[in-house]
């Protein structure tokens, strides 16, 4: 297929692939191992790469003294609600942008593209003032509204790509059978699109789960903080408690890694094929 | 921000993947030709409305409202005086002694991150093109950094590069490369190198995925013909592979430059811009000033960012188009 491989070539190739894999995995391994060491062992010398005793002390401390349960709950609520609404709203707009031709269409696509080029942090100040006026600072509902708005444009573009992969004939047949457009969308297209919709949802969820600057700006009180905001508090303190920090990092990373592993094929497809076109 | 993993690209897609509607071409017969009716307009408006309203209120309004702040005195500490001050905020930005460092850092950060990302990503893509056992597993594993936020990656590497208990020092000492532990994040030079290493770790996957997708669109016949002509490996790479995926490469690099430029999360988590403001890039600098409550000056930097990116995008697109025309002549 692509030329023949020599034995030496193969050796070079697999050596490099192996080294890169090692380099990729090692930081993740290291944070996990750190979190499982007894708090005293983290700062022991020589550094141990495989602790003699494993301990869950760091995790216990996190939920005990650091209020982590509250942050976790906030993150789950905010990310779930925002990702669900953003995906649902984007489905409607993506459907129209995939299936209709109209004059303002390219302007709308351009408007979506612009939000992707200009980062969200550029308007942190004005957004804070707006949310203050709406009395939605330190308010999970307020943060949810902002997240929905921030993740709609890319989600729309991604879902549009998936819609365009579905032949028109399917819904035309359904509409000839007397189904309304709305019913067709939900009963005929939605089941076919399920993998794409799940991928879009996961993508939104992970983005909301990870988002830092908007939540740092809008959430100040300890009751409403999401995990990244709380972690930001951890690193701002003079002495970082690496035991709690590593445990918190593992708990933050684990769910998103599982979700990505589950949906990586569809996400890659959405990114490489469905992305910005038009 | 991680959404940004999303600032993505139009990679060349496999040709038959979808029906294409070339821009500007007359609409295909049938459904698309249906003329505009009020009913159809209402359907379109109703389906677009929720998305449009959300984005208009929480994204566009703050952006537009924010841009006029750049020309006003607007400090959170004292909102009684929000008078127009002309270009004073911009002058303040340029007059700040740290601004020069911030600009230099931004250039170093972008270039030193993107070149290795591109080279390693390209190599991985070439090596992953041919099927081998566990290729799927391998791809899934190197995909992992992507699930993590830039901020957390910063925290992860902050721990790895820790001066006293960091594993990087330990490994380098074991390998005999250094004798004494280095305080990586307390020295400006090494701190900048460290954040760039973390960024390379994060960004290679994106290039690998995009380039692999593009490589798979190259027809095998081209390689067969090249082999018949006796072209060597290097020749095949530079004469066939790279020219064929040039558009994808250019677009990926363009979007990636913009994205890395706008990627404060990692530095924020790893050094917080320190030591002594020496690892700030434009985006982290703007956030710092926002957090200090000087919205006027922050907006001025915001406008500078947008203008800079716009100029870069135009320049880059022109430069890459030029080459294409020259080639076809």
């Amino acid at each position: 297929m692509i030329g023949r491989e020599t034995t030496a070539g193969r050796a070079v190739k697999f050596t490099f692939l192996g080294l890169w894999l090692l380099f990729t995995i090692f930081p993740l391994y290291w944070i996990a191992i750190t979190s499982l060491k007894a708090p005293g062992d983290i700062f022991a010398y020589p550094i141990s790469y495989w602790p003699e005793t494993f301990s869950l002390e760091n995790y216990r401390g996190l939920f005990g003294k650091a209020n982590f349960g509250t942050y976790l709950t906030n993150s789950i609520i905010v990310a779930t609600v925002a990702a669900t609404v953003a995906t649902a709203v984007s489905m409607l707009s993506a459907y129209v942008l995939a299936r209709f031709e109209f004059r303002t269409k390219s302007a709308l696509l351009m408007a979506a593209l612009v939000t992707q080029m200009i980062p969200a942090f550029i308007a942190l100040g004005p957004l804070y003032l707006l949310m203050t006026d709406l009395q939605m600072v330190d308010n999970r509902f307020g943060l949810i509204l902002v997240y929905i708005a921030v993740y709609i444009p890319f989600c729309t573009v991604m879902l549009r790509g998936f819609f365009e992969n579905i032949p028109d004939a399917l819904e035309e047949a359904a509409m000839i059978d007397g189904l309304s457009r709305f019913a067709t969308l939900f009963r005929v297209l939605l089941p076919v699109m399920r993998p794409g919709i799940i991928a879009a949802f996961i993508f939104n969820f992970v983005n909301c789960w990870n988002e830092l600057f908007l939540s740092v700006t809008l959430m100040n009180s300890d009751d409403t903080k999401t995990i990244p905001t709380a972690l930001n508090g951890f690193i701002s303190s003079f002495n970082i408690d690496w035991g709690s920090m590593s445990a918190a990092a593992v708990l933050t990373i684990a769910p998103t890694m599982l979700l990505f592993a589950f949906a990586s094929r569809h996400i890659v497809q959405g990114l490489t094929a469905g992305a910005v076109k038009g | 921000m991680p959404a940004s993993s999303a600032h993505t690209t139009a990679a060349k897609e496999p040709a038959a993947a979808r029906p294409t509607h070339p821009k500007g071409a007359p609409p295909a017969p049938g459904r698309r030709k249906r003329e505009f009716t009020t009913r159809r307009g209402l359907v379109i408006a109703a389906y677009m409305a929720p998305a449009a309203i959300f984005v208009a209120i929480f994204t566009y309004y703050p952006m537009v409202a924010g841009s006029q702040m750049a020309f006003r005195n607007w400090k959170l500490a004292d909102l009684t005086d929000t008078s127009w001050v002309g270009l004073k905020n911009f002058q303040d930005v340029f007059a700040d002694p740290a601004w020069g460092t911030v600009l230099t850092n931004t250039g170093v950060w972008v270039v030193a991150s993107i070149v290795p990302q591109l080279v390693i990503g390209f190599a991985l893509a070439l090596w992953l093109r041919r099927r081998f056992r566990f290729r799927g597993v391998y791809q899934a594993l190197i995909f992992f950094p992507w699930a993590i936020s830039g901020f957390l990656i910063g925290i992860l590497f902050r721990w790895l590069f820790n001066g006293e208990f960091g594993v990087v020092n330990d490994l380098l000492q074991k390998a005999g490369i250094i004798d004494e532990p280095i305080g990586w994040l307390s020295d400006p030079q090494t701190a900048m190198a460290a954040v760039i290493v973390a960024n390379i770790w994060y960004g290679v996957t994106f290039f690998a995925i995009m380039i692999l997708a593009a490589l798979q669109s190259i027809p095998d016949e081209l390689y067969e013909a090249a082999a018949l002509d006796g072209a060597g490996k290097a020749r095949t790479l530079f004469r066939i592979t790279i020219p064929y995926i040039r558009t994808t490469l250019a677009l990926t690099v363009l979007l990636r430059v913009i994205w890395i430029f706008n990627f404060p999360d990692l530095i924020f988590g790893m050094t917080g811009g320190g030591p002594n403001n020496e690892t700030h890039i434009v985006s982290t600098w703007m956030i710092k000033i926002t957090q200090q409550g000087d919205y006027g000056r922050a907006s001025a930097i915001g406008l500078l960012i947008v203008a800079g990116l716009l100029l870069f995008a135009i320049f880059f697109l022109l430069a890459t188009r030029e080459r294409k025309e020259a080639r076809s002549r």
Side-chain angles (χ1 to χ4, degrees):
Chain A
M1 152 186 166
I2 317 151
R4 199 164 289 160
E5 272 186 317
T6 58
T7 317
R10 279 175 68 88
V12 171
K13 162 174 150 179
F14 283 112
T15 308
F16 272 96
L17 286 180
L19 284 175
W20 185 256
L21 183 63
L22 207 62
F23 181 60
T24 305
I25 297 300
F26 185 75
L28 302 172
Y29 165 81
W30 193 246
I31 202 80
I33 280 291
T34 305
S35 75
L36 291 169
K37 287 179 180 173
D41 291 351
I42 292 176
F43 303 108
Y45 196 85
I47 292 175
S48 79
Y49 288 76
W50 186 259
E52 279 166 28
T53 50
F54 285 89
S55 147
L56 290 176
E57 202 43 51
N58 293 320
Y59 291 87
R60 261 183 234 122
L62 196 59
F63 285 94
K65 58 178 193 281
N67 223 355
F68 199 74
T70 312
Y71 312 141
L72 194 67
T73 316
N74 287 337
S75 269
I76 291 173
I77 293 175
V78 169
T80 309
V81 176
T84 308
V85 179
T87 312
V89 168
S90 303
M91 232 169 59
L92 297 178
S93 51
Y95 171 71
V96 167
L97 290 172
R99 287 295 195 249
F100 289 86
E101 289 300 328
F102 51 99
R103 237 180 305 159
T104 46
K105 180 165 152 175
S106 53
L108 286 172
L109 283 169
M110 188 47 95
L113 195 66
V114 166
T115 64
Q116 297 302 293
M117 288 297 138
I118 299 178
F121 63 73
I122 228 157
L124 282 179
L127 184 66
Y128 178 77
L129 295 176
L130 170 69
M131 297 310 272
T132 311
D133 286 346
L134 297 174
Q135 299 193 330
M136 280 197 223
V137 172
D138 268 335
N139 181 331
R140 284 179 297 206
F141 180 65
L143 188 64
I144 288 172
L145 291 180
V146 174
Y147 281 176
I148 294 171
V150 169
Y151 297 120
I152 280 176
F154 183 74
C155 189
T156 298
V157 173
M158 187 170 172
L159 284 174
R160 176 175 175 243
F162 288 121
F163 269 119
E164 288 184 335
N165 280 338
I166 302 175
D168 302 344
L170 199 63
E171 57 211 273
E172 273 164 15
M175 286 171 74
I176 288 168
D177 286 350
L179 232 55
S180 74
R181 185 175 289 281
F182 202 66
T184 309
L185 176 60
F186 276 85
R187 293 220 212 118
V188 181
L189 286 179
L190 205 132
V192 183
M193 293 242 312
R194 199 157 53 196
I197 292 170
I198 292 173
F201 172 81
I202 289 179
F203 204 74
N204 284 335
F205 183 91
V206 170
N207 281 334
C208 294
W209 181 267
N210 285 339
E211 201 287 323
L212 173 69
F213 296 115
L214 294 165
S215 72
V216 162
T217 308
L218 298 174
M219 313 301 254
N220 298 315
S221 83
D222 210 48
D223 298 337
T224 56
K225 277 182 183 170
T226 56
I227 297 175
T229 314
L231 295 186
N232 185 50
F234 288 9
I235 60 165
S236 308
S237 61
F238 184 69
N239 254 330
I240 299 175
D241 170 5
W242 281 108
S244 312
M245 191 72 212
S246 57
V250 170
L251 290 178
T252 315
I253 293 170
T256 57
M257 249 167 55
L258 282 178
L259 286 173
F260 255 51
F262 176 67
S264 67
R265 201 167 56 86
H266 294 295
I267 292 175
V268 169
Q269 194 192 340
L271 291 176
T272 52
V276 191
K277 50 172 251 162
Chain B
M1 85 195 30
S4 341
S5 340
H7 293 177
T8 325
T9 259
K12 236 195 206 160
E13 52 211 57
R18 78 184 57 205
T20 45
H21 303 286
K23 229 181 174 181
R31 180 175 53 84
R32 268 157 223 286
K33 216 174 170 181
R34 206 174 290 158
E35 64 208 77
F36 195 87
T37 62
T38 319
R39 198 182 142 69
R40 229 170 71 83
L42 280 177
V43 168
I44 292 173
Y47 279 57
M48 285 304 302
I53 291 169
F54 268 111
V55 177
I57 296 178
F58 295 105
T59 307
Y60 273 94
Y61 170 74
M63 250 171 7
V64 175
S67 35
Q68 46 106 17
M69 284 183 188
F71 306 97
R72 299 174 82 153
N73 177 38
W74 203 302
K75 296 194 170 71
L76 203 53
D78 176 21
L79 287 177
T80 50
D81 170 28
T82 56
S83 53
W84 296 87
V85 292
L87 296 176
K88 182 176 175 299
N89 286 320
F90 292 88
Q91 283 161 355
D92 287 351
V93 170
F94 294 122
D96 194 318
W99 182 245
T101 317
V102 170
L103 284 184
T104 318
N105 283 346
T106 310
V108 172
W109 161 253
V110 170
V111 175
S113 298
I114 203 146
V115 173
Q117 282 182 4
L118 174 64
V119 172
I120 301 172
F122 203 116
L124 285 179
L126 284 175
W127 282 324
L128 285 173
R129 187 167 37 160
R130 186 194 294 265
R131 239 172 244 294
F132 58 83
R133 216 193 315 181
F134 302 126
R135 186 178 70 165
V137 178
Y138 187 89
Q139 274 177 287
L141 286 174
I142 63 164
F143 197 58
F144 272 156
W146 249 35
I148 309 172
S149 70
F151 176 60
L152 257 171
I153 288 167
I155 293 176
L156 238 64
F157 278 82
R158 180 182 240 187
W159 174 230
L160 291 165
F161 278 103
N162 186 295
E164 287 172 275
F165 308 102
V167 69
V168 172
N169 274 335
D170 195 55
L171 287 172
L172 290 178
Q173 278 177 300
K174 282 205 168 90
I177 297 172
I178 56 172
D179 298 326
E180 290 293 311
I182 295 177
W184 291 98
L185 302 182
S186 49
D187 175 317
Q189 295 275 313
T190 50
M192 206 61 216
V195 291
I196 288 168
V197 167
N199 196 21
I200 294 168
W201 181 81
Y202 184 39
V204 162
T205 310
F206 180 84
F207 275 104
I209 289 171
M210 287 299 169
I211 295 172
L212 184 60
L215 286 180
Q216 281 163 347
S217 72
I218 306 178
D220 285 346
E221 295 84 52
L222 279 181
Y223 287 110
E224 284 157 20
L228 278 180
D229 289 346
K233 275 224 148 111
R235 225 179 136 75
T236 314
L237 178 67
F238 287 105
R239 289 297 174 82
I240 294 179
T241 310
I242 292 178
Y244 200 89
I245 63 169
R246 202 185 45 233
T247 319
T248 307
L249 276 182
L251 260 179
T252 311
V253 169
L254 166 73
L255 290 165
R256 243 17 218 180
V257 165
I258 293 176
W259 192 81
I260 291 176
F261 185 92
N262 288 331
F263 182 43
D265 312 48
L266 196 157
I267 293 179
F268 203 83
M270 198 160 164
T271 65
N276 199 14
N277 289 338
E278 297 276 1
T279 56
H280 269 295
I281 57 170
V282 175
S283 46
T284 57
W285 190 243
M286 178 185 171
I287 288 167
K288 182 190 145 104
I289 289 175
T290 308
Q291 289 180 341
Q292 288 170 349
D294 193 342
Y295 289 178
R297 202 195 297 192
S299 293
I301 299 179
L303 286 185
L304 289 172
I305 291 179
V306 173
L309 289 178
L310 202 66
L311 278 177
F312 169 76
I314 292 171
F315 177 78
F316 187 90
L317 287 174
L318 283 179
T320 43
R321 178 184 297 171
E322 198 88 14
R323 211 169 301 151
K324 201 192 251 167
E325 276 166 8
R327 276 183 52 86
S328 63
R329 239 172 252 145

